[in-house]
Amino acid sequence: MHAILQGIQPTIKGWTAFRRDLHQHPELGFEEHRTSRLVADKLREFGYSVHQGLAKTGVVATLKAGDGKKVLGLRADIDALPMVENSGKSWASQTDGKFHGCGHDGHTTILLCAAEYLARHRNFNGTLHLIFQPAEELLYGGRVMLEDGLLEKFPCDALFGLHNMPGMPVGTFHFRKQAMMASCDTVHITVFGTGGHGAIPEKTVDATLVACQIAVALQTIVSRNVTPFAQAVITVGSIQSGEAPNIINEKAVMKLSVRSLDPQVRQLLLKRIDEVARLQAESFNAVAKVEHINGCPVLINDDAQTEFAISVARELVDESQICTDAPALMGSEDFAFMLEANPNGAYLMVGNGPGPMVHNPGYDFNDEIILPAAAYWCLLTERYLQ
Ligand SMILES: [Zn+2]
Ligand SMILES: [Zn+2]
């Protein structure tokens, strides 16, 4: 067993209790006041210099050792989801409708556990910034931290982040070079027509029917405009229009989720959605207004930093516990904003074992991965800040 694993082992019981306490008290994006306070208190207790208030509830903690000039940033997300838990665990959420259904309680605990070990041993040479980010599930907490000056106040030479993944064996490490998580854009299309009586269509422009035509036409973008070698999805998740059977509606609102694994394909999708919606509407004498509500970039891992991250895993666990070519996912992750601002970094997955997928009401973070994942952050810090 690696010396770091041995060094952390005696603290795991306490960190498991800490994780379960976070799980019982989930908080949604930008409302993580209790979580943020607990995190900041722990870090101060360990001897970090702690900065609170970036992106409202974000926390950045800094520890220096030696006179090394290199600076490393490690990031964890801290928020929960607006959903009802039915995991049946004794430490289940105590707040109805809020649930750590993605394991960010675990990511927070992993980074704190590593923080404690690193402060106790200080076996590195340089500056370490630990970034606790709010509102990942809104897919813009990372962006707001950057807008609040994260990388100006705390410049980092390299940045790393991780996520647990159900279905992958407990404590296995999964890496991928280049694109790993898809971009995610929310687009709203509002169709304006002319309302009227359901029996007199010739006097109207039916916004509901135009929205339906747009929804069908949008499905030609991935099939006819995007190369078959690229991955892309356009989902029309909502069309809202009208209440009564005998009224032709003057307005319809469509809500889209748009994903891809290539920044250029992402731009193509957004451009074509705008063109198709506006021109389809025009062909029916209606008007479509297209609004880009929110967007998160493709998460792209740096090749050299991924190699480095793999080498750290090889030192910690057996080769059979490591996957160096994990499949890309069409889900999204707003750590992508940080890697977009500083591309020198990587994101990895740690197996959560069998059980329900993240965002499923039955999901729970597996406390068995606190030890290997925290040891991984410690060794990565010691190797990056040699
Ligand atoms: Zn999630
Ligand atoms: Zn998550």
Side-chain angles (χ1 to χ4, degrees), residues 81 101-102 104 136-137 163 358-359:
L81 285 161
C102 205
H104 300 183
E136 192 285 324
E137 294 294 355
H163 206 291
V358 291
H359 294 213

Side-chain angles (χ1 to χ4, degrees), residues 23 32 51 77 95 111 117 133 144 146 203 209 214 227 241 247 317 348 360 370 381 384:
H23 193 88
E32 309 93 332
H51 184 104
D77 39 17
T95 310
L111 193 54
Y117 177 94
Q133 182 216 296
V144 176
L146 291 168
K203 300 284 188 196
L209 181 62
I214 291 173
T227 166
S241 181
I247 299 170
V317 296
L348 60 132
N360 179 292
I370 298 173
T381 302
Y384 191 82

Side-chain angles (χ1 to χ4, degrees), residues 291-306:
E291 291 170 285
H292 186 250
I293 302 298
N294 182 37
C296 169
V298 183
L299 186 145
I300 299 174
N301 289 321
D302 176 75
D303 286 354
Q305 293 307 337
T306 305

Side-chain angles (χ1 to χ4, degrees), residues 351-371:
N352 197 57
M357 182 42 81
V358 291
H359 294 213
N360 179 292
Y363 167 84
D364 188 31
F365 175 83
N366 187 341
D367 291 308
E368 278 179 50
I369 73 176
I370 298 173
L371 176 60

